């Protein structure tokens, strides 16, 4: 066996020393046996090195693990790293690298053993270690006094080290802790839990442990130095948030730090994350999570003031001097702490006063000498909760609170007490004398209690970190069906997020056990619950998006409403045996939705279109998509306040989900549901809308660019487009026409670019209004940030839209025989491309749409596989012309096009469509990846709470989606093959598995061999793991320079608005009060999500947030929050103004603008004044967003401000009535270009409900009759036997044989002909046959949904001759089947006309009975494009029919079987 050793020479450089004779005393034995030690021949030079790296280059067995090598080498020194290398191609032996290190806990790059000071002309070591004499933990009791809660002194067996790590920009503190039984310190035995007394004798668990914590420089604002009289020096660090604590593993924990499957181990793996430092850890097993911790050894979450004391000699050393200089160079203030005082821990009495509401004897109250009964003051839950908000965020500390403070709160009116505490929590500043808060002049906050939009609720939130729990002031959020149903108990819901320590973002997954205690804390919280005062919140459920962001809902039960009751109301989940699916189905009820009130709906069912292959695979072409009538779409648009009627809505209806596309053949109030959309039987609670289709600009990202680059698109194409975008953005800052062009083309998903464009059109950019100018600056910073970090290049010839299916069956589908045939000519492949339909706004014709007819790229995020980006042909199909801002995909072909795009479907997925010819790659339509998910983990019993919480915690531990995506990006950049590299293909497959983890419960594990050793510089990883990428993403990254966002405050407000009306003091005072309320709610949103400026919330162009979710999802979430915030305060302003009419609302909006101008003007005046701080003159107020007043309030009425600014004064002063003004207004002050290109974004010009329609009670009409709100909605009753059970056959559908003779599928020639009407007619006559009569008429293939496997219920044969050119012919085989299927369908033209007349009469009777007027202009009668009536009396029960045959005889036999 040969070995090599490397180490530093005396000069500090790395050179290979003379060969060391080393060897294994005996061969290694398999794991679990005693490995033989490695024997090192002594050699004086290497014994003195700081580190020694040895390589074992042959002789290791293949089964060797890092633990084997650790056992063999540990006796020779402190092991720092072990790495095992698999045999490379042509090699046979496993090799390894082992590093020993002296005196350092963490490896440091040899190249950075010294670090140059940023300011001073000297060098300090990257790692500088000092030895304090003591370390005290505690809190600041007042500005000059530290309350010491725990003292740690250096002794013979207790050590403390203070390490300055300049390479990592942090301070590492390591200390030994002697954990002593609290009874040894004089505590009374009676104060301890009874089970602790029984379990152990006094001192039975005394032990010595080693801990460490890290303080990043970013967390340090200042360091205070304390000079002791005896010459010792103290350093005081007081943090706003706790650092990360770790405990050194020993014994079995040390062994668990070695993963048997891992090939890499470091000493850092032996440090386990810590959450609670208590004497008896088992006591936490059944403990509820509370802000107050029961007598911890160290409360690492609350005791965040640290005092280090250094000896006189240490304080005078060069190391200490270097420490001071390094801190200054990293912008950490060093101050001398004069008159420093120390007090010691005392138990705060406040918890005793507020935790109990019953009477107790005075003998139990400290400080009361006389016996007698004392009534403990009682705080209402809202006040108690808000008090804990203040305490958890450090605004108040329980050690400063007294009984007088509690008495004062109790004596106050609840609303006033809440106002005071909410104000304190919003200031984010520590108040040492709590009684002073009652003297603060609290603004009039009655406006904050104004009515909120009906689709919103006030929601309390808790954030659980490894060491803390933070509560947040209730904020207004869009609700979900569960909270709406239990609205009277809304204050008993608690939204909980599990994150890392504050400002560290989400808890990252890890296959190692170092986070075991963090995950255990989360599991305890979900099992034992969270207590706030007398309320005990139990785990309820989590929404699907919430689950991915590590969040859940908790509920505090009452005597009559329990968690079990709420889950039972949600739906019937008893048949589900897969924990992941069970959680997903419950989570469906927690989607953030807008309930559409007062709308009765007629539900019909549709068949899914499925292709079944002989190898067992199946493809669903209609997965998740149904239909909705234009009539209902208009009602929904009016309810949502939209200015247009979307073509597609993402929805929830009972247990149904997916999207509904507007189709002419859907009757007046009809919704057509497919089986793939029906997930479970649930209480009907009305139609709910999540999102709707609207145009958004197409944008590339790093993954798409990497795929296109691999497929042959030249780097110069991307660079040129990036440079053009940067130049356009630069010009937009001073050229109005360029700004308008970009803002109206580069539309973000929340469509806020159109709002900014409207500001420019209204002249606010020209008048230099500070808010309008700030918005344009923010949009620039936001665009450049995403260009730099994500390569988000906007493509003008493209769109980002919903997908839906071609219900007409006219679009050509994908053909495997040609697209995947390497011998097919290019023209033949082009001619056989699948077809799509897309109609988008025409940028050259205002208000007009254009149909794209060109070659297009179709993709979906994320795209990692070369086959994820598809080339398709966009065509014009008149039958699809009613669909706008969506991409319509074919229902034909050998495979669904959506599924080839990263495994997509049509239940709400967004698709990227690009028709820019420069981006069409030379190589296209690579063989797509198989996105079939792995089998889900199934139980043999009903799913229980413990299964759900286990799944939640395991998901947090094993969710490797981000790690896999980063590994793929890095390897694709490094490999000359790009995404075609073999390891990239493996990673793409793993990524698909990780995406499905939330549905299957089967985690994707990232093996060591696929983990990159280094990353391209554009990924911004640690410098020692970074290389400079020369590929396209590296070039794009280097082209972009970040731009800071600096709001504009010092430009004048628009005089057109300020002078528009004569405003009295009353209207100004009303506007001022409402502005304070708006500013308060805005600050809450900013604080909750760590957003730095009001401009980011208002526009949704967020530059920085807490990181609890990814940027794309957060853009959606902040869009909802911002919209709800504006809607709420718009309604309050309209109410205060006295109405929506412009004659009343106009002056009030001008008043809002005026009071905002006054506040900014006063702040600007203060910024010009000076004050003296520490002998230095500074401005009284900085022109910074943190210190300036908010000015977004009047812009909640952006369109009204534009109307005021551009209406002639005589129309505003009363010379003409407002009615005359509206009739005669021609926007005379706007240039012609502005009038033509104006984009209205006000919420007042909304789609109106259909004329003559009176909204009725929420009802559903189905085959079983009328389902009222609150009743169980069950569809497909004849087929649904539990989600995982095959449904029974019940109906037939028309069919078409696939061009591939080995497969077959059903494609209705006219999808309305296969619908089954569930609408009970007004006269009580149901024209549909009884479904039970058709129960034995066919064999079915059903798709149970987006995350279920397709279920095959049998095979029948089909005659290929019945299909000609993609259409179903009227053959002897199909004709009887169709006649049998539709016994009541009209066959002749006369019968069709008679059927239409009957249907119109029935609808008229039905509408008349309900007091509705029939409107001949709406779509109450279903007509196809040619005006022919479509029958709605077919018997299709929503299932897919497979009839497979090789000849007519077998098909006839199949039909006989059906008969």
């Amino acid at each position: 066996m040969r070995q090599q050793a490397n180490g530093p020479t005396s000069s500090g450089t790395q050179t290979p020393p003379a060969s060391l004779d080393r060897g294994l005393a005996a061969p290694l034995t398999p794991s679990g046996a005693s490995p033989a030690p490695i024997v090192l021949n002594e050699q004086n030079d290497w014994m003195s090195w700081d580190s020694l790296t040895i390589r074992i280059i042959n002789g290791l067995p293949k089964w060797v693990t890092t633990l084997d090598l650790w056992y063999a080498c540990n006796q020779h020194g402190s092991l720092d790293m072990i790495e095992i290398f698999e045999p490379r191609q042509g090699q046979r032996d496993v090799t390894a690298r082992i590093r020993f290190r002296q005196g350092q806990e963490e490896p440091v790059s040899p190249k950075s053993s010294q670090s140059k000071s940023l300011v001073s002309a000297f060098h300090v070591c990257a790692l500088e270690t000092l030895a304090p004499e003591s370390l005290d933990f505690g809190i600041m009791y007042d500005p000059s006094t530290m309350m010491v809660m725990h003292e740690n002194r250096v002794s013979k067996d207790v050590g403390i080290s203070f390490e300055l790590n300049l390479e990592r920009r942090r301070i590492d503190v390591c200390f030994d802790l002697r954990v002593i039984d609290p009874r040894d310190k004089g505590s009374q035995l009676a104060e301890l839990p009874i089970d602790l007394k029984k379990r152990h004798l006094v001192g039975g668990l005394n032990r010595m442990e080693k801990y460490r914590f890290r303080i990043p420089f970013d967390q340090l604002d200042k360091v205070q130095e304390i000079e002791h009289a005896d010459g010792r020096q103290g350093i005081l660090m007081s943090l706003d948030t706790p650092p990360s604590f770790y405990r050194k593993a020993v014994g079995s924990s040390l062994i668990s730090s070695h993963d048997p499957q891992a090939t890499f181990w470091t000493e850092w793996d032996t440090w386990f994350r810590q959450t609670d430092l208590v004497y008896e850890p088992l006591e936490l097993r059944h403990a509820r999570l509370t802000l107050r911790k029961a007598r911890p050894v160290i409360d690492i979450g609350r005791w965040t003031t640290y005092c280090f004391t250094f000896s006189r000699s240490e304080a005078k050393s060069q190391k200490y001097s270097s420490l001071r200089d390094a801190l200054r160079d990293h912008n950490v203030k060093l101050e001398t702490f004069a008159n420093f005082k120390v007090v010691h821990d005392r138990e705060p009495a406040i918890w005793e006063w507020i935790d109990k509401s019953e009477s107790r004897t005075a003998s139990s109250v400290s400080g009361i000498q006389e016996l007698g009964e004392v009534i403990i003051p009682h705080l209402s839950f809202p006040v108690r909760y808000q008090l804990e908000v203040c305490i958890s965020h450090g605004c108040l500390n329980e050690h400063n609170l007294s009984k007088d403070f509690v008495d004062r709160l109790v004596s106050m009116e609840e609303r006033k007490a809440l106002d005071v505490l909410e104000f304190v929590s919003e200031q984010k500043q520590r108040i040492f004398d709590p009684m002073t808060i009652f003297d603060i002049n609290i603004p009039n906050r009655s406006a904050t209690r104004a009515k909120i939009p009906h689709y919103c609720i006030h929601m309390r939130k808790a954030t659980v970190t490894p060491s803390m729990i933070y509560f947040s002031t209730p904020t207004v959020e869009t609700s979900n069906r569960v909270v709406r149903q239990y609205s009277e108990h809304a204050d008993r819901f608690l939204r909980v997020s599990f994150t890392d320590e504050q400002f560290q973002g989400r808890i990252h997954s890890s296959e190692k056990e170092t986070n075991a205690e963090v995950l255990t804390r989360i599991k305890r919280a979900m099992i034992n619950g969270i207590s706030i005062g007398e309320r005990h919140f139990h785990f309820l459920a989590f929404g699907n998006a919430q689950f991915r962001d590590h969040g859940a809902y908790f509920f505090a039960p009452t005597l009559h409403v329990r968690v079990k009751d709420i889950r039972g109301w949600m739906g019937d989940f008893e048949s589900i045996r897969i924990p992941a699916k069970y959680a997903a189905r419950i989570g469906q009820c927690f989607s953030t939705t807008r309930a559409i009130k007062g709308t009765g709906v007629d539900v019909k069912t549709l068949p899914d279109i499925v292709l079944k292959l002989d190898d067992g695979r199946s493809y669903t072409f209609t997965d998740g998509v149904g239909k909705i009538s234009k009539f209902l779409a208009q009602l929904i648009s009016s309810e949502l306040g939209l200015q247009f009627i979307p073509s597609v809505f993402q929805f929830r209806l009972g247990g149904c989900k997916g999207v509904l596309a507007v189709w002419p053949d859907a009757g007046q109030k009809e919704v057509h549901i497919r089986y793939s959309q029906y997930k479970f039987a649930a209480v009907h609670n009305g139609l709910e809308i999540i999102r709707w289709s609207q145009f958004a600009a197409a944008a590339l990202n790093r993954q798409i660019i990497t795929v296109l680059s691999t497929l042959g698109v030249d780097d110069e194409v991307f660079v040129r487009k990036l440079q053009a975008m940067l130049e356009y953005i630069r010009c937009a800052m001073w050229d109005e026409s360029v700004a308008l062009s970009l803002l109206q083309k580069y539309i973000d998903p929340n469509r806020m670019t159109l709002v900014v464009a409207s500001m420019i059109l209204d002249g606010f950019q020209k008048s230099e209004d500070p808010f309008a100018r700030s918005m344009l600056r923010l949009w620039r910073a936001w665009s450049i940030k995403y260009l730099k970090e994500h390569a988000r290049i906007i493509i003008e010839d493209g769109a980002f839209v919903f997908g839906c299916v071609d219900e007409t069956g006219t679009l050509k589908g994908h053909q495997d025989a040609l697209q995947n045939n390497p011998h097919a000519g290019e023209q033949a492949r082009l001619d056989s491309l699948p077809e799509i339909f897309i109609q988008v706004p025409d940028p050259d014709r205002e208000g007009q749409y254009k149909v794209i007819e060109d070659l297009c790229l179709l993709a979906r995020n994320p795209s990692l596989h070369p086959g994820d980006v598809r080339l398709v042909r966009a065509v014009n199909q008149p039958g699809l012309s009613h669909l706008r801002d969506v991409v319509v995909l074919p229902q034909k072909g050998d495979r669904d096009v959506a599924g080839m795009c990263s495994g997509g479907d049509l239940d709400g997925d967004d698709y990227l469509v690009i028709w820019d010819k420069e981006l069409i790659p030379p190589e296209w339509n690579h063989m797509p990846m198989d996105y079939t998910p792995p089998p889900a983990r199934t139980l043999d019993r009903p799913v229980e709470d413990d299964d759900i919480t286990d799944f939640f915690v395991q998901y947090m531990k094993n969710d490797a989606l981000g790690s896999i995506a980063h590994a793929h990006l890095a390897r694709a950049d490094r490999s000359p093959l790009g995404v075609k590299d073999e390891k990239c293909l493996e990673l793409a497959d793993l990524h698909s598995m990780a995406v499905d983890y939330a549905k299957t419960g089967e985690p994707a594990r990232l093996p060591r061999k696929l983990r990159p050793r280094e990353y391209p510089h554009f990924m911004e990883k640690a410098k020692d793991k970074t290389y400079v990428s020369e590929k396209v993403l590296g070039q794009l990254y280097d082209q972009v320079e970040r731009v800071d966002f600096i709001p504009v405050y010092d430009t004048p407000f628009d005089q057109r608005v300020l002078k528009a009306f004569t405003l009295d003091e009353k209207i100004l005072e009303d506007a001022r009060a409402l502005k304070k309320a708006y500013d308060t709610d805005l600050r809450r949103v900013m604080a909750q999500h760590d957003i730095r400026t009001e401009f980011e919330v208002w526009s949704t162009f967020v530059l920085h947030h807490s990181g609890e979710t990814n940027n794309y999802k957060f853009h959606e979430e902040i869009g909802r929050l911002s919209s709800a915030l504006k809607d709420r305060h718009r309604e309050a302003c309209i109410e205060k103004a006295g109405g929506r009419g412009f004659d009343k609302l106009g002056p009030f909006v001008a008043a809002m603008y005026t009071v905002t101008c006054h506040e900014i003007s006063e702040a600007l005046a203060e910024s010009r004044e000076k004050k003296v701080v520490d002998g230095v003159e500074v401005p009284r107020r900085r022109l910074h967003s943190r210190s300036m007043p908010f000015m977004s309030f009047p812009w909640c009425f952006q369109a009204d401000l534009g109307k005021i600014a551009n209406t002639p004064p005589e129309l505003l002063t009363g010379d003409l009535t407002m009615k005359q003004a509206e009739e005669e207004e021609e926007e005379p002050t706007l240039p012609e270009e502005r009038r033509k290109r104006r984009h209205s974004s006000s919420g007042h010009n909304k789609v109106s409900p259909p004329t003559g329609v009176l909204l009725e009670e929420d009802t559903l009409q189905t085959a079983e009759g009328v389902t009222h709100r609150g009743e169980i909605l069950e569809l497909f009753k004849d087929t649904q036997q539990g989600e995982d059970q095959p449904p029974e056959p019940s109906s037939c559908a028309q069919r078409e044989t696939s061009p591939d003779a080995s497969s077959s599928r059903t494609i209705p020639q006219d999808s309305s002909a296969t619908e089954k009407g569930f609408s009970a007619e007004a006269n009580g006559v149901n024209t549909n046959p009884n479904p039970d009569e058709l129960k034995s008429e066919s064999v079915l293939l059903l798709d149970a949904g987006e995350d279920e496997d397709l279920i095959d219920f049998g095979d029948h044969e089909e005659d290929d001759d019945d299909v000609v050119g993609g259409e179903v012919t009227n053959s002897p085989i199909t004709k009887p089947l169709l006649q049998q299927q539709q016994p009541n369908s009209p066959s002749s033209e006369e019968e069709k006309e008679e059927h239409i007349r009957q249907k119109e009469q029935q609808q008229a009777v039905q509408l008349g009975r309900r007091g509705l007027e029939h409107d001949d202009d709406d779509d109450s009668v279903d007509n196809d494009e040619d005006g022919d009536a479509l029958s709605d009396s077919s018997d299709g029960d929503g299932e897919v029919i497979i009839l497979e045959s090789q000849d007519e005889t077998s098909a006839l036999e199949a039909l006989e079987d059906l008969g």
Side-chain angles (χ1 to χ4, degrees), residues 370-382:
E370 299 177 0
L371 293 178
E373 188 175 335
V374 176
I375 303 299
I376 304 299
H378 176 69
L379 291 177
S380 66
F381 175 76

Side-chain angles (χ1 to χ4, degrees), residues 646-786:
S647 295
V648 169
F649 297 91
Q650 189 176 18
F651 82 107
R652 297 288 189 267
L653 180 65
C656 304
K657 59 171 288 194
V659 301
L660 299 172
V662 177
W663 280 91
D665 64 349
Q668 184 181 22
K669 302 180 72 175
E670 288 181 358
V671 167
H672 298 182
I673 302 295
R674 284 189 163 92
Y675 188 84
S676 59
Q677 299 179 285
Y678 180 64
K679 304 302 180 182
F680 58 92
V683 170
H684 159 51
N685 208 35
L687 185 61
E688 301 168 303
I689 302 300
I690 300 174
R691 292 192 298 155
W692 49 88
S693 59
Q694 53 189 359
F695 177 84
L700 302 178
N701 56 39
R702 286 176 173 175
Q703 294 167 334
I704 297 285
I705 290 173
T706 302
V707 173
L708 292 179
S709 179
T710 299
L711 297 178
V713 177
D714 193 75
D715 292 356
E716 181 59 30
V717 172
F718 302 108
V719 173
R720 186 167 60 251
K721 290 185 179 297
L722 173 73
Q723 291 174 339
M725 186 173 174
L726 289 172
E727 180 62 19
Y728 287 148
I729 293 174
R730 186 187 67 82
C731 293
M733 295 301 102
W734 53 269
D735 189 322
E736 226 178 68
S737 62
V738 174
L740 281 172
S741 176
L742 291 186
L743 291 166
Q744 292 174 347
K745 288 180 180 177
Y746 300 173
I747 303 174
D748 68 297
N750 290 324
R751 303 179 73 82
M752 289 305 297
T753 56
L754 296 180
V755 178
V756 180
S758 293
M759 294 180 181
I760 297 174
L761 286 169
D762 288 327
F764 289 107
Q765 174 72 0
K766 187 175 182 178
S767 68
E768 296 190 333
D769 175 87
F771 187 79
R773 291 191 62 189
S774 296
M775 280 295 99
L776 199 58
R777 285 190 180 186
L778 176 59
W779 169 74
R780 174 186 62 172
W782 180 75
S783 299
I784 290 177
K785 167 187 168 66
Y786 279 85

Side-chain angles (χ1 to χ4, degrees), residues 1047-1059:
V1048 178
Y1049 292 104
D1050 54 357
T1051 60
F1053 279 65
D1054 198 312
Q1055 293 297 314
R1056 296 175 299 167
V1057 181
L1058 294 175
K1059 296 180 178 180

